[in-house]
Amino acid sequence: MAADAAAGRGDAGVPVRRLTVLYDAQCSLCVFLRDWLARQRQLVPLDLVPAGSEEARRRIPGLDHAATLDEITVVGDGGQVYRGAGAWVVCLWALAEHRPLAHRLSTPSGMRLARGAVLAAAKYRGARWRPRPGGHRTADEWAYDPAVGWVYAGPAGCDDGGCAPGAPVPRPARA
């Protein structure tokens, strides 16, 4: 977690006073966990924002928002970026009743347990994920079709008849 945190802020001494938790609003598990986080007593305020949304892009313009749909991402008010297991641990750290657990999970052996929990959640999410009507669509007009993967669904370039409506266009690979 320390490596993930330090990579996003450049100064290890920057305090965290507020966290933005980016969650997949199309995922029932993610929405359940968002609701659970919202009900907890918070020592550090959590802003729960749908990943890939206009609100997320407005709040954190320099972030790879497409990646936030694949992996839980938490961003601190000082520019700290936490992903995966580190993001879950920092969420627990922000909660009054769960801060001691977060401290235990931030150790090397605890982080292995946290990674296992995140992998189990990802496996559950993958097995249970069903696209809602209209599928999973990002703000930049990409949509996820389980049969073919990510496709460009926007009108750009199609207005002149240059592409067939709904024709899948492979999503570029992430660097």
Side-chain angles (χ1 to χ4, degrees):
M1 178 173 80
D4 289 343
R9 63 179 153 169
D11 180 4
V14 177
V16 177
R17 293 190 178 96
R18 181 170 217 91
L19 294 165
T20 300
V21 179
L22 301 172
Y23 68 94
D24 184 350
Q26 299 281 329
C27 165
S28 61
L29 176 62
C30 303
V31 170
F32 173 83
L33 291 169
R34 176 211 56 199
D35 294 345
W36 180 82
L37 286 169
R39 289 190 308 269
Q40 304 304 304
R41 190 166 62 91
Q42 300 172 3
L43 297 173
V44 176
L46 299 175
D47 296 328
L48 306 163
V49 178
S53 68
E54 287 303 317
E55 176 69 9
R57 292 173 192 282
R58 183 188 64 73
R59 285 176 179 240
I60 315 158
L63 192 65
D64 177 1
H65 288 278
T68 65
L69 291 165
D70 295 332
E71 182 175 40
I72 181 174
T73 304
V74 177
V75 180
D77 58 344
Q80 309 90 333
V81 177
Y82 306 89
R83 297 183 193 277
W88 285 113
V89 172
V90 81
C91 283
L92 292 172
W93 173 83
L95 304 176
E97 286 77 28
H98 299 284
R99 186 166 276 187
L101 174 60
H103 285 290
R104 287 192 301 276
L105 291 174
S106 67
T107 66
S109 60
M111 192 53 73
R112 283 192 294 277
L113 179 63
R115 278 190 202 102
V118 168
L119 290 173
K123 186 174 182 177
Y124 172 85
R125 180 180 178 222
R128 307 251 327 155
W129 190 80
R130 299 285 182 266
R132 292 183 181 171
H136 180 79
R137 183 179 289 251
T138 64
D140 60 356
E141 297 299 326
W142 286 92
Y144 184 77
D145 179 342
V148 296
W150 284 99
V151 296
Y152 184 71
C158 294
D159 296 342
D160 62 358
C163 62
V169 178
R171 186 173 198 168
R174 293 191 187 121

